[in-house]
Amino acid sequence: EINQKIIELKSAIVTFKNIIEDLEEFKQKQIIALMPQILELSIKIAERIVASKINIDRELIIGIVKEALNSLPVIEDKIIIKVNPDDYKVASEKISELGVDPQKLNIYPAYDVKKGDCIVETQSLQVEAKIDQKLKEIENALNTVLHQ
């Protein structure tokens, strides 16, 4: 009778181990299946955080304009910078902090530019620094990694 109970216990242990392995496999499959939704939700949260940060920290536009100017291959004699009207005052006041001769820069408010974004134009080139674009690049990179 003890031998029979030992056999039954060993059988139950094997069954439990199989259940644990099946649950682990199920969990991994669920994580993989839910990853696109998790990624999408993460991007939406990031968009809201960035939008909130832009509304709170008006000087954030200076860093964005600097980044756009730094992406120019050559600093030309005339550079037009378009920013949202809400960013215009800060950008105009901090023009000397942009790292380019202020005499070369003309900053204009543009209603078609979102808060926190800017467009830099020269005679030969246009650079758009858009937060939505950067978030999309991050999302695409994460999707690429996810689908490898």
Side-chain angles (χ1 to χ4, degrees):
E1 185 174 308
I2 290 179
N3 287 339
Q4 181 63 31
K5 293 295 180 186
I6 291 173
I7 292 171
E8 288 174 12
L9 282 174
K10 285 182 178 180
S11 176
I13 289 171
V14 168
T15 301
F16 282 126
K17 283 183 179 179
N18 289 337
I19 291 171
I20 290 170
E21 288 173 9
D22 289 346
L23 285 173
E24 186 61 36
E25 185 178 325
F26 175 77
K27 180 181 91 172
Q28 291 302 321
K29 286 180 181 178
Q30 291 303 307
I31 289 171
I32 291 168
L34 292 173
M35 200 54 76
Q37 290 95 338
I38 293 169
L39 176 62
E40 184 179 333
L41 180 61
S42 299
I43 293 296
K44 285 182 180 180
I45 291 169
E47 287 171 349
R48 289 191 178 158
I49 291 170
V50 169
S52 176
K53 175 85 171 143
I54 289 169
N55 284 326
I56 293 169
D57 185 0
R58 299 306 318 147
E59 293 193 14
L60 195 64
I61 190 65
I62 301 305
I64 293 166
V65 173
K66 273 185 188 179
E67 185 178 325
L69 289 169
N70 288 337
S71 71
L72 294 174
V74 175
I75 299 298
E76 297 182 21
D77 288 335
K78 183 180 178 188
I79 300 171
I80 296 170
I81 301 168
K82 296 178 183 176
V83 296
N84 182 276
D86 291 341
D87 295 325
Y88 175 74
K89 183 179 181 201
V90 171
S92 298
E93 290 172 354
K94 306 273 184 174
I95 195 168
S96 63
E97 296 179 21
L98 295 175
V100 175
D101 179 4
Q103 298 298 318
K104 295 181 178 186
L105 303 177
N106 294 297
I107 301 176
Y108 298 103
Y111 288 97
D112 60 333
V113 176
K114 287 184 176 181
K115 276 187 194 180
D117 293 348
C118 76
I119 298 172
V120 175
E121 297 175 347
T122 67
Q123 297 256 337
S124 60
L125 189 63
Q126 176 175 309
V127 174
E128 296 182 0
K130 296 185 175 185
I131 292 170
D132 290 346
Q133 183 180 24
K134 293 208 179 291
L135 287 170
K136 191 68 178 165
E137 289 172 11
I138 292 168
E139 182 179 7
N140 289 341
L142 289 172
N143 272 321
T144 300
V145 169
L146 181 66
H147 293 99
Q148 285 183 347

